Amino acid sequence: MKTILIAEDNDSNYILMTYILKRNYNLLRARHGGEAVEMVANNEVDMILMDIKMPVMDGLEATRKIRETHPSLPIIALTANAFDSDREQALAAGCSDFLPKPVSSEVCLRTIAKYI
């Protein structure tokens, strides 16, 4: 079973993602970008769902750091900021794709299936 790291500081958003994904994937959680960088270094991860606005280290900075060591790892930005400029920033930081919150289970699963 593939493993997805969910980088999300908000408990209710994390719970929603586990509800959508737990039947098909092993899930790991990071509560901030620094923890996500650490977890990718220490675990076999097939994909990251990366919140952009997090404490300690935001998702954009975490994505840049992860790209240094894992250039081909799929990273999907998940954010409540759904403006075109937010999408452009996420893609420029190295995200593979972008999903605005709230995300539907159908769109989330379809997007993940494109990468793993």
Side-chain angles (χ1 to χ4, degrees):
M1 195 177 298
K2 300 286 187 179
T3 298
I4 297 177
L5 171 61
I6 302 172
E8 174 63 65
D9 61 314
N10 181 289
D11 288 339
S12 59
N13 289 338
Y14 175 73
I15 290 166
L16 173 63
M17 295 311 299
T18 61
Y19 177 77
I20 294 170
L21 301 172
K22 68 182 175 185
R23 285 186 295 266
N24 300 313
Y25 302 99
N26 290 320
L27 303 175
L28 299 173
R29 182 183 187 183
R31 293 179 185 272
H32 58 77
E35 193 173 29
V37 171
E38 238 178 76
M39 292 183 82
V40 168
N42 297 315
N43 295 277
E44 287 292 322
V45 175
D46 297 294
M47 171 177 277
I48 303 171
L49 297 177
M50 182 75 76
D51 184 22
I52 299 302
K53 302 287 186 202
M54 291 185 289
V56 182
M57 179 188 296
D58 70 24
L60 298 178
E61 185 178 349
T63 296
R64 287 186 202 99
K65 287 186 178 294
I66 290 166
R67 282 286 171 242
E68 293 173 8
T69 55
H70 295 78
S72 61
L73 180 65
I75 301 174
I76 298 175
L78 278 175
T79 184
N81 300 331
F83 298 107
D84 286 341
S85 61
D86 297 310
R87 175 186 296 271
E88 290 166 10
Q89 285 181 330
L91 297 176
C95 289
S96 311
D97 215 323
F98 182 94
L99 289 173
K101 292 178 189 173
V103 63
S104 77
S105 58
E106 182 183 315
V107 171
C108 183
L109 291 170
R110 188 170 55 233
T111 302
I112 289 169
K114 288 190 327 191
Y115 297 96
I116 60 172

